[in-house]
Amino acid sequence: MSTAAGSAPESEPIRAIKLKHPWRIVFAVVILVIAAVFLIDAARRPAYDWASVAKYLFDRRVSAAALVTLELTVLAMIIAIVLGVLLAVMRLSPNPVLKAVAWFYVWLFRGTPVYVQLVFWGLIATIYQTIDIGIPFTSVQWASFATQAVVNAFWLSVIGLGLNEAAYMSEIVRAGLVSVDTGQNEAATALGMSWGQTMTRVILPQAMRVIIPPTGNEVISMLKTTSLVTAVPFSFDLYNRTRDISAETFNPIPMLIVASIWYLFFTSILMVGQYFLEKRFARGIGDRRDGKGGDGGPTGTLQIVGANQPSVVMPQAHEAGRR
Amino acid sequence: MTDTSIAPAPSAAAITPMVEAVGVSKSFGSNEVLKSISLTVRPGEVLCLVGPSGSGKSTFLRLINHLETLSSGRLSVDGSLVGYRQVGEKLYELHPKDAARQRREIGMVFQRFNLFPHMTALENVMEAPQRVKRQPKAQVEQRARDLLARVGLADRADYYPAHLSGGQQQRVAIARALAMEPKLMLFDEPTSALDPELVGEVLDVMKELASSGMTMIVVTHEMGFAREVADTLVFMDGGVVVESGQPREVLANPQHDRTRAFLSKVL
């Protein structure tokens, strides 16, 4: 290679012939053919009754039901996320009482089917006919409400779905909190931050990165779980409303398609929202595209705390010395 | 002059020691990592703790700011017991709030930096004075910028830790600890996770800090730093202090076989 001496450092860009992937094309064609056959067939098949689908897709009752489903989802998830964070933090707190309460909650609400729980919530007014405020087991009573008067099927659905989901959310949040490097906790503690400050300022923001993707999953799952509120019974949500309409028209299949289109529309929007949330909480962590870091980008010195390799004197000495 | 005396200054008795350990022991389960450690650190003193891995150096450091609780003995910082309150003969566990108040006075720098990755360098330095001491933001920011300048990182204030080199991260971590205006700084192998060419910049900052009169306890493998900066060198092995004294003396003329064996490997 002695002939290279004196040649300019600027070298010619590579113009290689791209590697061919013939099987990809074959599979793509096969799938397209199958899809086309299915679509053409579906378009002609009378059972799908596309005319009815078009007629009912924007039917006032259906779009109102879609809004109810969205409300149920959002309200239930707000309860679930708030309660879930609280339960997860309780579970990891140094206080054994809080720990036990959180454990029991998750055991109870995760251990029984959501359908069964919704039936129970529906029967709450039968089980507890009045809500009394006073001193238990005495005749002292300051106020009393008829349960029937203060709750309705919608809110019972929200509570039933939210409390059930909180158990799952708490496990998701807990996994996120535990995933944060213990050094973060130590650093915050060593600075004199309280346990609460450490949680809210240091641990939770970092845990969000781990918490958000499965939470997005749970929101999408909740959107569809709302169809179970018929157990309460509550029937103004998307699925049960479309079922009721098809009970009148004796034509269930187009109504199923209508409901599916609405569910897909909402989940698609939720996926977009999740994308932006994930970007927001990736701040400072392995985001090399982020402009704020300036020239830190292309050098070999990028290091993520807790992920870099110690490369000098006795790398494991510290860890070994501690335990 | 015996080599095992730890407080060399004759006037040491007159002033309150910054750190005083008397018979400090620590066990994890049945594993006793520290066995009756006694030593004194005067205000303004720089003490280097050296020794093989597993000798209990880091654990001792973590006891001083109560990241671990001691099993027996007495440990006090600036005259007050760490983690406990003594009334008569009885010891009472401190409320976490009071323990946190004690820790504010003690800065700690970790081997793995432990910067908060979701905050910029400046935010890292500002966090504790702002949230813990509840000082006004403008004042905190000014001091944070001054501290970053002091560690040579004025132009990196808005960088996230992931965009800083290891040496820069560790210097931010030192600035973060200094922001709480501690009276004692603990360094737990501050250069062990760094690439060799980055060690110097961190040691320079520490030297500057030492010359400014800060009381420092440094667990390190950097014998050159210990020789140059430390007032006292303590060699630990197997959970006990094997020997201690003037760093030059200990390094040049170790009295104990274990010290000699260790030094022959690291020097």
Side-chain angles (χ1 to χ4, degrees):
Chain A
M1 297 293 140
S2 55
T3 52
S7 69
E10 200 178 315
S11 57
E12 214 175 297
I14 292 173
R15 266 186 257 278
I17 298 184
K18 283 255 190 292
L19 184 60
K20 297 267 195 301
H21 296 284
W23 284 106
R24 291 184 189 172
I25 296 165
V26 172
F27 280 128
V29 168
V30 169
I31 287 163
L32 280 175
V33 167
I34 291 172
V37 168
F38 177 81
L39 283 176
I40 292 165
D41 172 78
R44 292 177 183 168
R45 203 165 276 269
Y48 286 120
D49 192 0
W50 294 104
S52 295
V53 171
K55 182 180 161 199
Y56 284 104
L57 186 56
F58 297 107
D59 185 286
R60 187 68 59 79
R61 291 169 294 176
V62 173
S63 51
L67 190 65
V68 169
T69 284
L70 202 59
E71 285 169 358
L72 284 171
T73 307
V74 170
L75 292 171
M77 282 312 293
I78 288 173
I79 292 178
I81 290 170
V82 171
L83 194 57
V85 170
L86 193 71
L87 285 166
V89 169
M90 281 166 69
R91 191 80 184 272
L92 295 173
S93 88
N95 182 334
V97 181
L98 294 181
K99 242 183 223 182
V101 170
W103 181 89
F104 178 79
Y105 183 97
V106 172
W107 174 78
L108 183 67
F109 280 87
R110 204 177 54 170
T112 51
V114 63
Y115 196 89
V116 172
Q117 288 173 29
L118 286 169
V119 174
F120 255 112
W121 283 107
L123 294 171
I124 199 96
T126 314
I127 304 169
Y128 304 98
Q129 285 168 359
T130 58
I131 299 169
D132 303 327
I133 298 169
I135 300 167
F137 309 115
T138 65
S139 58
V140 180
Q141 188 175 316
W142 296 303
S144 177
F145 310 95
T147 308
Q148 202 72 61
V150 285
V151 294
N152 63 34
F154 175 80
W155 283 104
L156 285 176
S157 304
V158 168
I159 292 169
L161 292 169
L163 294 194
N164 175 263
E165 182 60 28
Y168 291 90
M169 279 309 302
S170 87
E171 289 296 285
I172 289 172
V173 175
R174 187 166 70 103
L177 296 177
V178 168
S179 76
V180 177
D181 182 33
T182 52
Q184 294 289 310
N185 190 0
E186 285 188 354
T189 307
L191 283 168
M193 293 171 80
S194 68
W195 183 79
Q197 284 173 326
T198 303
M199 269 294 161
T200 53
R201 297 288 307 170
V202 176
I203 310 291
L204 256 177
Q206 294 183 59
M208 290 307 276
R209 211 169 47 91
V210 177
I211 292 171
I212 286 171
T215 302
N217 214 22
E218 292 297 305
V219 176
I220 287 168
S221 171
M222 175 61 79
L223 186 79
K224 295 169 297 176
T225 308
T226 54
S227 59
L228 296 182
V229 293
T230 181
V232 171
F234 178 74
S235 61
F236 292 99
D237 71 295
L238 185 53
Y239 175 70
N240 290 298
R241 201 80 185 101
T242 51
R243 286 297 283 179
D244 287 349
I245 293 171
S246 61
E248 287 166 21
T249 60
F250 300 107
N251 196 4
I253 293 162
M255 293 317 293
L256 285 176
I257 296 172
V258 166
S260 300
I261 290 173
W262 275 101
Y263 282 121
L264 276 172
F265 171 67
F266 287 139
T267 48
S268 307
I269 290 176
L270 290 172
M271 284 164 77
V272 173
Q274 184 179 347
Y275 169 79
F276 284 105
L277 267 181
E278 280 178 26
K279 254 186 111 171
R280 169 73 174 73
F281 282 100
R283 250 182 333 161
I285 306 179
D287 58 336
R288 293 159 197 203
R289 294 141 295 162
D290 181 31
K292 246 197 159 175
D295 61 357
T299 66
T301 54
L302 277 170
Q303 289 179 331
I304 297 160
V305 174
N308 53 349
Q309 301 291 324
S311 52
V312 264
V313 204
M314 305 172 80
Q316 294 309 313
H318 179 72
E319 260 74 25
R322 189 172 296 168
R323 285 292 126 98
Chain B
M1 237 326 187
T2 59
D3 286 303
T4 45
S5 82
I6 288 147
S11 62
I15 34 169
T16 314
M18 187 54 82
V19 178
E20 189 170 33
V22 182
V24 167
S25 302
K26 173 66 185 175
S27 306
F28 293 108
S30 60
N31 179 21
E32 196 176 27
V33 256
L34 285 179
K35 297 164 189 155
S36 193
I37 303 282
S38 296
L39 55 78
T40 309
V41 183
R42 289 169 289 113
E45 182 176 350
V46 176
L47 183 138
C48 278
L49 272 175
V50 301
S53 61
S55 59
K57 303 164 303 206
S58 290
T59 304
F60 181 66
L61 215 56
R62 294 158 60 80
L63 286 175
I64 294 174
N65 72 350
H66 206 47
L67 284 179
E68 308 277 2
T69 50
L70 62 172
S71 311
S72 65
R74 289 284 188 280
L75 182 60
S76 55
V77 173
D78 203 16
S80 54
L81 280 181
V82 172
Y84 299 95
R85 193 161 42 87
Q86 188 163 18
V87 180
E89 285 295 286
K90 280 190 180 142
L91 279 186
Y92 295 87
E93 237 178 273
L94 276 190
H95 189 274
K97 251 184 218 162
D98 298 313
R101 194 163 297 131
Q102 281 188 338
R103 287 194 195 98
R104 285 179 210 176
E105 317 254 274
I106 305 169
M108 185 151 183
V109 174
F110 299 87
Q111 182 181 18
R112 309 293 290 270
F113 330 133
N114 296 349
L115 289 179
F116 306 135
H118 57 301
M119 299 181 193
T120 62
L122 185 70
E123 288 166 349
N124 264 281
V125 180
M126 288 173 64
E127 181 67 15
Q130 218 184 329
R131 308 282 158 186
V132 178
K133 285 191 168 172
R134 301 194 182 284
Q135 292 170 340
K137 189 175 178 229
Q139 181 195 330
V140 171
E141 184 175 340
Q142 188 49 52
R143 240 210 1 269
R145 288 193 186 278
D146 291 347
L147 281 168
L148 285 174
R150 186 173 170 191
V151 299
L153 291 171
D155 57 336
R156 293 288 189 274
D158 295 325
Y159 282 50
Y160 284 101
H163 295 128
L164 298 172
S165 73
Q168 291 171 333
Q169 288 190 47
Q170 192 62 296
R171 285 188 279 153
V172 173
I174 293 171
R176 179 176 69 174
L178 289 176
M180 289 298 278
E181 296 171 315
K183 52 190 179 191
L184 169 67
M185 285 284 286
L186 309 175
F187 293 85
D188 190 3
E189 302 198 26
T191 57
S192 295
L194 296 177
D195 289 337
E197 78 271 20
L198 303 175
V199 168
E201 59 189 67
V202 172
L203 292 182
D204 286 344
V205 168
M206 291 168 62
K207 279 176 203 166
E208 189 268 325
L209 194 59
S211 65
S212 77
M214 177 63 77
T215 314
M216 296 164 56
I217 303 181
V218 185
V219 172
T220 187
H221 295 291
E222 297 291 331
M223 294 304 155
F225 175 82
R227 181 185 296 132
E228 195 182 330
V229 181
D231 301 303
T232 312
L233 184 73
V234 174
F235 174 72
M236 284 177 71
D237 191 13
V240 297
V241 173
V242 176
E243 66 179 282
S244 67
Q246 296 272 336
R248 275 167 215 284
E249 232 162 277
V250 175
L251 290 174
N253 188 19
Q255 298 299 303
H256 207 284
D257 285 344
R258 280 195 279 178
T259 320
R260 231 168 277 146
F262 174 75
L263 290 177
S264 71
K265 280 179 213 146
V266 297
L267 280 179

